[in-house]
């Protein structure tokens, strides 16, 4: 079956892969909204300080920010993983498709249609590629697995060649593909990805980003993409948020942000003369002064 | 030759039962990280449950009762005793399983007393001629039953949704959560399955030596077995069980003099020197 073929009729309560009937580029109703979310770890460490953002259905939204800004924490708050790290949403709310999911447990959130691809890939090392994918399809019925596996192997032909290989021995790029494919097995409407480019060679990163774009295009999956590679993220995103120290400090259409001089200087590594410079070299206080 | 065949059959029976007991131990360690020092008592409880059901009604009732008790025991221990201990130091959890073992043993003693009870033979008795040697039929049945159980478990882990979910949790709990796998449910399932394998093991031991506290001593042999095979390896539990079972029996048969209780540990130390993770223990995969 080709990935673009229509999948289920409107009668199914859990339509797979978002609402493919609506042209995703036109839908504007937010599928996910965070309202003044505060997150505390260990009851004392305040990491998110009133973060608000929203993700429109069918779009790719990028969340940018430097190390320790709280990007991963934001994704964990959405996916219900905070309790596993002694963290909690102490104020504000998270709504998904109009329903409050602030304190919903991780397993229910996956069933509701949000899947997270964690930072650092986190494949099940001792399981084969195939078994990793089956684990990803845990919430689906057995009958659906064959089609889903076919679809994922079409998107990631490298995985198809290595289906019985132990995942721990795959290359970093292959592991990232497996992590994405595994998340797809749950038929997410909204997929959150935490730094999928981490530690990968530029060519591989481009390959993975182009697949993310296709998933959004062809399956209608809404994407929330956390990245430090701002250039690529702004390239494929419709909308982007920039966060610093647990708050959103800037947001707008991706193209607009890419043209913003501050973003150019601090996130795209461009100085006024257009020379490339890593934003990592920029002193932290300088950024604070501009945006807070 | 006769003696060799007889000893081999005896050794394999012991090994198969040990493998079952060890399998339960490995299941718990692998998915929850807890070392269950009460595994021997699980065997004991299982044997008595099957005994009670069989004496009161029929062996089918006995087995059903045994399985029921196993599931209740496994899930109950996980929920009531271990879940409140989540996040506590591992030594606390280990102490708790030791305490649990003593508690279970005492309860059984209070109810049934110290005297060994003859296990009703539901496995056909008599003897069979095998390669010129006379071997008791119930031992062959024991080997067969254990082998079938181990095969079922293996298929469960490699093919079924819940089996794969259990292995996923063993690898990475947080990532498993992001697949919608309930880690708590997997923990409960690990304890229940461990208890089920212990019940079948306990029943087989009881069939050989009667229903008594001696079952626990047999259960203690899971430690050399799992350390030999690898604490987290299911095939290791099976092969470790066979090795220890055969070693003990051959030493007892050919050498004697109580040496059989020492030899497994000597071999154990030797193997650990060469393979610190045990024969089949999972090597941590390090990629850079
Ligand atoms: N489990 C935890 N317990 C305590 N503090 C934490 C925990 N996880 C994260 N933090 C703190 O919260 C802050 C934000 O961390 P987070 O991982 O969300 O940042 P990030 O934006 O994803 O950074 P990076 O780009 O390095 O991945 C950091 O200061 C970090 O030390
Ligand atoms: Mg992060």
């Amino acid at each position: 079956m080709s990935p673009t073929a229509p999948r289920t009729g409107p009668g199914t309560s859990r339509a797979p892969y978002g609402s493919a009937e609506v042209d995703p580029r036109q839908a504007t109703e937010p599928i996910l909204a965070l309202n003044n979310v505060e997150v505390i770890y260990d009851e004392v460490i305040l990491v998110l300080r009133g973060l608000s953002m929203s993700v429109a259905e069918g779009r790719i939204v990028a969340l940018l920010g430097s190390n320790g800004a709280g990007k991963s924490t934001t994704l964990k708050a959405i996916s219900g993983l905070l309790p596993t790290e002694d963290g909690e949403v102490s104020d504000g709310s998270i709504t998904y498709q109009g329903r409050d999911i602030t304190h919903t447990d991780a397993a229910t959130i996956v069933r509701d249609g949000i899947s997270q691809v964690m930072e650092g890939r986190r494949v099940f090392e001792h399981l084969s590629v195939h078994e990793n994918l089956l684990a990803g399809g845990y919430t689906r019925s057995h009958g659906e697995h064959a089609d889903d596996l076919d679809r994922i192997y079409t998107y990631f032909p490298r995985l198809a060649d290595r289906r019985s290989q132990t995942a721990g021995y795959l290359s970093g790029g292959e592991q990232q593909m497996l992590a994405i494919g595994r998340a797809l097995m749950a038929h997410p409407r909204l997929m959150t990805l935490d730094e999928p480019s981490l530690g990968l060679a530029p060519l591989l990163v481009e390959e993975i980003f182009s697949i993310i774009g296709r998933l959004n295009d062809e399956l209608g999956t809404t994407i929330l993409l956390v990245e430090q590679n701002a250039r690529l993220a702004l390239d494929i995103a419709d909308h982007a948020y920039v966060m610093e120290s647990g708050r959103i400090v800037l947001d707008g259409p991706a193209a607009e942000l890419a043209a913003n001089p501050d973003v150019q200087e601090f996130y795209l590594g461009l100085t006024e003369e257009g020379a490339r410079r890593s934003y990592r070299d920029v002193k932290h206080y300088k950024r604070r002064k501009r945006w807070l | 030759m006769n003696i060799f065949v007889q000893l081999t059959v005896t050794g394999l029976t012991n090994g198969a039962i040990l493998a079952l007991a060890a399998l339960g131990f490995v299941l718990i360690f692998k998915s929850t990280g807890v070392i269950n020092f009460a595994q021997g008592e699980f065997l004991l409880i299982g044997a008595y449950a099957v005994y009670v059901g069989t004496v009161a009604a029929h062996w089918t009732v006995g087995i059903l009762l045994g399985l029921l008790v196993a599931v209740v025991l496994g899930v109950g221990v996980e929920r009531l005793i271990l879940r409140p201990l989540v996040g506590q130091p591992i030594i606390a959890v280990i102490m708790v399983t030791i305490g649990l073992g003593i508690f279970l043993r005492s309860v059984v003693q209070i109810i049934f007393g110290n005297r060994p009870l003859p296990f009703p033979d539901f496995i056909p008795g008599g003897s069979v001629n095998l390669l010129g040697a006379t071997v008791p039929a119930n031992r062959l049945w024991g080997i067969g039953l254990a082998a079938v159980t181990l095969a079922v478990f293996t298929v469960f882990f490699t093919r079924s949704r819940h089996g794969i979910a259990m292995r996923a949790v063993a690898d990475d709990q947080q990532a498993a959560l992001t697949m919608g796998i309930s880690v708590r449910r997997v923990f409960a399932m690990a304890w229940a399955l461990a208890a089920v394998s212990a019940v079948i093991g306990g029943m087989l031991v009881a069939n050989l030596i009667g229903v008594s506290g001696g079952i626990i001593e047999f259960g203690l042999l899971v430690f050399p077995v799992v350390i030999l095979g690898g604490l987290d390896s299911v095939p290791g539990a099976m092969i470790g069980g066979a090795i220890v079972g055969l070693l003990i029996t051959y030493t007892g048969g050919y050498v004697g003099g109580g040496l059989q209780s020492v030899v497994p540990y000597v071999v154990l130390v030797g193997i650990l020197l060469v393979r610190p993770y045990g024969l089949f223990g999972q090597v941590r995969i390090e990629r850079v």
Side-chain angles (χ1 to χ4, degrees):
Chain A
M1 187 175 120
S2 108
T4 42
R7 280 156 304 269
T8 35
T12 13
S13 57
R14 291 167 64 208
Y17 297 124
S19 50
E21 299 86 24
V22 191
D23 176 4
R25 305 283 158 185
Q26 274 165 24
T28 48
E29 167 210 349
I31 187 171
L32 179 81
L34 281 76
N35 314 303
N36 291 310
V37 171
E38 239 179 57
V39 167
I40 296 190
Y41 285 112
D42 300 319
E43 287 173 12
V44 285
I45 310 165
L46 181 65
V47 172
L48 296 192
R49 309 151 187 261
L51 178 137
S52 297
M53 65 182 295
S54 73
V55 177
E57 174 127 42
R59 300 289 172 88
I60 299 182
V61 173
L63 177 58
L64 311 176
S66 52
N67 288 108
K71 305 178 299 293
S72 299
T73 301
T74 307
L75 295 194
K76 285 174 192 161
I78 296 167
S79 61
L81 284 189
L82 289 179
T84 64
E85 300 190 357
D86 278 323
E88 61 160 345
V89 176
S90 51
D91 200 8
S93 67
I94 303 173
T95 54
Y96 169 68
Q97 295 185 316
R99 276 182 306 119
D100 183 32
I101 56 157
T102 316
H103 301 288
T104 308
D105 69 280
T108 310
I109 284 178
V110 176
R111 283 169 201 276
D112 285 350
I114 305 180
S115 287
Q116 179 178 12
V117 179
M118 296 183 77
E119 184 176 335
R121 315 191 275 264
R122 307 286 288 268
V123 298
F124 301 121
E125 297 189 325
H126 297 98
L127 271 59
S128 68
V129 167
H130 191 74
E131 287 169 336
N132 265 273
L133 293 178
L134 289 180
Y138 180 78
T139 56
R140 311 295 297 187
S141 74
H142 242 321
E144 293 167 292
H145 284 168
D147 276 356
D148 291 349
L149 288 165
D150 278 354
R151 186 178 301 118
I152 285 155
Y153 286 138
T154 318
Y155 277 106
F156 302 103
R158 285 158 183 258
L159 296 183
D161 299 338
R162 293 167 175 75
R163 59 182 88 196
S164 45
Q165 195 170 320
T166 304
Y169 294 113
L170 295 177
S171 75
E174 289 155 2
Q175 287 191 350
Q176 189 62 60
M177 293 177 188
L178 180 57
I180 296 173
R182 187 177 65 173
L184 275 181
M185 286 292 290
H187 287 221
R189 277 172 177 278
L190 169 65
M191 181 151 83
T192 68
L193 293 127
D194 199 345
E195 302 202 33
S197 72
L198 196 72
L200 303 185
L203 265 179
L204 260 175
V205 173
E206 270 176 36
E207 186 179 340
I208 284 171
F209 271 58
S210 97
I211 292 172
I212 295 172
R214 281 178 56 205
L215 296 177
N216 171 254
D217 230 31
E218 298 168 2
L219 303 177
T221 314
T222 308
I223 308 269
L224 173 56
L225 174 66
V226 160
E227 258 306 332
Q228 295 215 21
N229 189 332
R231 183 185 312 277
L232 273 172
L234 289 176
D235 238 20
I236 81 167
D238 301 295
H239 197 92
Y241 289 86
V242 177
M243 72 182 293
E244 275 299 324
S245 313
R247 277 195 196 95
I248 300 296
V249 289
L250 197 64
D251 86 286
E256 232 167 74
L257 279 201
N260 178 307
D262 285 339
V263 175
Q264 286 190 342
E265 184 175 355
F266 301 117
Y267 289 92
L268 298 178
L270 301 172
T271 57
E272 259 130 67
E273 304 86 53
R276 297 194 57 171
R277 200 151 58 101
S278 169
Y279 67 86
R280 282 169 224 263
D281 303 335
V282 179
K283 288 262 190 309
H284 209 65
Y285 69 85
K286 211 172 156 193
R287 249 177 292 160
R288 286 240 169 110
K289 227 166 34 191
R290 297 222 177 199
W291 282 332
L292 293 185
Chain B
M1 185 62 193
N2 277 1
I3 293 192
F4 178 75
V5 173
Q6 269 170 357
L7 288 180
T8 305
V9 170
T10 309
L12 282 180
T13 325
N14 293 343
I17 299 170
L18 280 174
L20 276 177
L23 176 72
F25 181 95
V26 167
L27 268 181
I28 291 175
F29 180 76
K30 199 173 154 75
S31 47
T32 71
V34 171
I35 294 179
N36 179 24
F37 278 97
Q39 189 69 10
E41 280 77 8
F42 276 27
L43 292 181
L44 184 75
I45 298 272
Y48 275 101
V50 177
Y51 170 81
V52 167
T54 309
V55 169
H58 190 249
W59 63 267
T60 48
V61 179
I63 290 182
L64 284 179
L65 183 67
L67 294 180
L68 182 74
V69 168
V71 173
V72 170
L73 182 69
V75 176
V77 166
E78 198 278 327
R79 193 130 315 177
L80 301 177
I81 305 180
L82 293 160
R83 191 171 295 177
L85 286 175
V86 168
Q88 300 300 313
I90 195 77
I91 187 74
V93 181
I94 291 175
M95 295 310 284
V96 165
T97 69
I98 294 176
L100 174 72
I102 297 173
F103 170 76
L104 291 177
R105 193 184 312 172
S106 316
V107 167
V108 166
Q109 239 171 43
I110 291 167
I111 302 178
F112 297 96
N114 273 329
R115 234 160 20 88
L117 303 165
F119 199 67
D121 24 77
F122 66 96
I123 292 179
S127 52
V128 184
N129 201 311
L130 186 78
L131 300 173
T134 314
V135 292
N138 63 356
R139 288 208 165 252
L140 293 180
W141 276 96
I143 296 175
L145 196 57
V148 168
T149 311
L150 292 171
V152 168
F153 270 101
T154 305
V155 170
F156 170 78
F157 283 120
T158 49
R159 296 263 181 275
S160 82
R161 170 168 169 256
H162 290 292
I164 290 176
M166 282 182 81
R167 287 165 58 216
V169 168
D171 257 11
D172 190 332
Q173 288 183 18
Q174 232 184 7
L177 274 175
T178 68
M179 313 283 101
I181 296 168
S182 161
V183 173
R184 291 186 164 175
R185 188 123 119 240
V186 163
F187 281 10
M189 202 184 310
W191 279 88
L193 286 179
V196 165
S197 75
V199 164
I200 300 175
M203 180 178 84
L204 292 175
V205 190
N207 186 50
L208 299 175
I209 67 172
V211 195
S212 74
I215 294 174
I216 296 176
E217 277 156 45
F218 194 87
L220 279 181
L221 284 170
V222 300
F223 293 106
V225 170
V226 294
I227 294 170
L228 187 66
L231 282 175
D232 53 7
S233 165
V234 173
M238 300 181 197
I239 294 177
I243 293 178
V244 172
L246 286 170
L247 262 178
I248 292 178
T249 321
Y250 287 146
T251 325
Y254 288 124
V255 189
L259 213 58
Q260 64 268 34
S261 37
V262 184
V263 164
Y265 297 94
V266 174
V267 172
L268 177 69
V269 170
I271 289 185
L272 284 185
L273 284 177
V274 191
R275 296 195 56 104
Y277 292 102
L279 286 177
F280 298 92
Q282 275 183 351
V283 179
R284 283 199 52 204
I285 298 178
E286 308 271 5
R287 292 192 68 264
V288 206

